[in-house]
């Protein structure tokens, strides 16, 4: 483990023990900064006044996160963190109840069934807002509406987006993955292609933009999307230098719709890494 990660972990543990355990107060009633080496939880207060069940739950969940996730979380007030978390969870309550949550964790360890298809998929065709590379594209309604909003923002700045890949069925992903295995071998294929049932594309909320090549991020379109996507609820799924976290090589073109509130939460508390935030939400919802 390098020195940077060790230093971050020490800082994070201070945050857990002091900030996330008791929110210690000074005599003047202000929260003691967790960077203050003399800061200690108040020991004379009755337990009922100092123990917040949600902070205890937060401690338990955070301790289950990976070391790299812990290192990404900044020093801060646990109650502020929880308030922001509840904004995200409250927004989740507005999602349609007959389909998977927009925060559904899908990766190499979490999958969907071979027969899962998002509800009411909407065709994504060439129109005044965007161009498409194929005629068989579609998105879940929430993602479609968000793509419209994103595209209007881009057009206002003189950029027309190119949509190159969207929803993929289990069968389609199976054929794609098998083709890549035949081409590059299973070890390399698994670094850039999802096995069927583990692709964000099957959720109907992911879009690949532009040329689907590494240089797209340096184009005018790519730079605009990078700068503004989160304003419209779109999050980069596979950032550079996080293959050990996401399971996949950098994909500058792959964005997932999670909503504006979640994008803000991700940026503020999880180093702007989607995988960290989705893993946390999944762990939180499964913690008793």
């Amino acid at each position: 483990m390098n020195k940077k990660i060790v230093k971050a972990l020490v800082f994070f543990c201070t945050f857990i023990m002091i900030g996330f355990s008791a929110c210690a107060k000074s005599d003047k009633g202000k929260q003691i900064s967790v960077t203050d080496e003399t800061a200690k939880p108040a020991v004379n207060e009755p337990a009922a006044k100092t123990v917040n069940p949600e902070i205890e739950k937060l401690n338990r969940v955070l301790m289950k996160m990976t070391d790299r996730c812990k290192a990404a979380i900044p020093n801060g007030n646990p109650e502020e963190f929880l308030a922001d978390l509840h904004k995200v969870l409250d927004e989740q309550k507005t999602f349609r109840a007959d389909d998977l949550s927009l925060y559904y964790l899908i990766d190499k360890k979490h999958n969907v069934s071979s027969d899962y298809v998002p509800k009411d998929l909407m065709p994504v065709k060439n129109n005044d807002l965007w161009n498409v590379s194929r005629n068989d594209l579609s998105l879940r309604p929430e993602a479609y509406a968000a793509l419209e909003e994103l595209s209007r923002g881009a057009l206002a700045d003189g950029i027309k987006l190119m949509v190159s890949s969207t929803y993929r069925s289990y069968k389609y992903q199976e054929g794609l993955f098998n083709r890549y295995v035949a081409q590059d071998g299973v070890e390399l294929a698994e670094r850039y292609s999802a096995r069927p049932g583990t692709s964000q594309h099957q959720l109907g909320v992911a879009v690949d933009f532009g040329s689907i090549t590494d240089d797209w991020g340096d184009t005018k379109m790519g730079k605009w999307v990078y700068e503004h996507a989160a304003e419209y609820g779109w999050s980069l799924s596979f950032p550079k230098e996080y293959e050990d976290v996401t399971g996949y090589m950098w994909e500058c073109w792959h964005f997932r719709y999670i909503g504006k509130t979640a994008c803000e939460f991700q940026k503020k508390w999880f180093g702007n890494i989607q995988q960290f935030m989705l893993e946390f939400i999944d762990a939180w919802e499964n913690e008793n």
Side-chain angles (χ1 to χ4, degrees):
M1 186 177 295
N2 62 42
K3 293 182 179 179
K4 183 177 179 181
I5 295 297
V6 171
K7 182 178 180 181
L9 283 174
V10 170
F11 187 66
F12 171 78
C13 289
T14 303
F15 179 37
I16 288 292
M17 292 186 292
I18 300 174
F20 271 31
S21 294
C23 284
K25 305 283 183 177
S26 69
D27 292 338
K28 295 182 181 181
K30 297 181 180 179
Q31 182 179 336
I32 297 174
S33 170
V34 299
T35 59
D36 182 353
E37 294 181 359
T38 65
K40 295 181 180 180
V43 295
N44 295 322
E45 294 184 26
K49 291 185 178 180
T50 60
V51 177
N52 179 333
E54 281 216 319
I55 291 180
E56 290 186 328
K57 178 178 178 179
L58 183 55
N59 283 334
R60 294 195 304 271
V61 172
L62 286 173
M63 294 309 293
K64 293 179 180 179
M65 297 294 96
T66 64
D67 288 344
R68 197 166 184 191
C69 178
K70 294 173 185 176
I73 298 174
N75 173 33
N77 184 329
E79 293 184 356
E80 182 182 354
F81 180 100
L82 288 168
D84 290 341
L85 170 63
H86 282 296
K87 289 178 185 177
V88 173
L89 298 179
D90 286 345
E91 185 161 302
Q92 183 172 225
K93 295 175 183 177
T94 69
F95 299 163
R96 60 187 301 165
D98 62 346
D99 208 340
L100 296 177
S101 168
L102 293 176
Y103 310 146
Y104 185 84
L105 178 61
I106 187 168
D107 53 27
K108 292 187 174 182
K109 297 179 180 179
H110 304 85
N111 67 333
V112 292
S113 66
S114 59
D115 59 356
Y116 171 73
V117 178
K119 303 288 185 181
D120 303 323
L121 285 168
M122 300 179 65
V124 179
K125 303 290 186 181
N126 271 327
N127 58 38
D128 293 338
L129 294 177
W130 60 67
N131 294 318
V132 298
S133 63
R134 304 198 325 248
N135 293 320
D136 59 347
L137 304 180
S138 59
L139 282 172
R140 182 169 159 165
E142 301 93 324
Y144 187 96
L147 179 62
E148 287 185 322
E149 190 177 1
L150 178 72
S151 298
R152 289 192 181 95
L155 281 175
D157 288 337
I159 297 169
K160 191 171 186 180
L161 300 181
M162 167 65 75
V163 180
S164 299
S165 186
T166 52
Y167 165 72
R168 298 176 192 162
S169 68
Y170 182 99
K171 184 176 181 180
Y172 183 98
Q173 188 67 33
E174 183 176 41
L176 189 65
F177 179 76
N178 289 340
R179 176 157 60 88
Y180 289 142
V181 169
Q183 173 184 302
D184 292 323
V186 66
E187 185 175 352
L188 178 55
E190 284 192 321
R191 295 182 61 196
Y192 66 82
S193 180
R195 287 181 177 271
T198 68
S199 173
Q200 290 188 353
H201 285 286
Q202 192 176 344
L203 299 180
V205 296
V207 171
D208 288 344
F209 290 102
S211 58
I212 315 186
T213 57
D214 290 348
D215 58 357
W216 177 79
D218 294 322
T219 66
K220 186 177 180 180
M221 184 194 306
K223 290 178 180 179
W224 188 93
V225 172
Y226 264 81
E227 183 176 353
H228 298 285
E231 299 169 19
Y232 301 90
W234 293 90
S235 166
L236 180 70
S237 295
F238 309 120
K240 187 177 290 187
E241 299 180 355
Y242 281 87
E243 185 176 349
D244 61 317
V245 172
T246 67
Y248 299 102
M249 300 164 65
W250 172 55
E251 292 189 357
C252 63
W253 58 84
H254 181 115
F255 287 77
R256 173 177 174 170
Y257 177 67
I258 57 175
K260 300 172 188 177
T261 303
C263 282
E264 292 170 0
F265 186 54
Q266 167 188 304
K267 182 177 182 179
K268 181 176 180 180
W269 293 107
F270 293 94
N272 210 23
I273 302 301
Q274 180 193 119
Q275 184 72 20
F276 290 156
M277 183 195 67
L278 294 180
E279 286 181 357
F280 174 85
I281 291 175
D282 181 71
W284 177 270
E285 293 184 327
N286 287 288
E287 180 70 22
N288 296 325

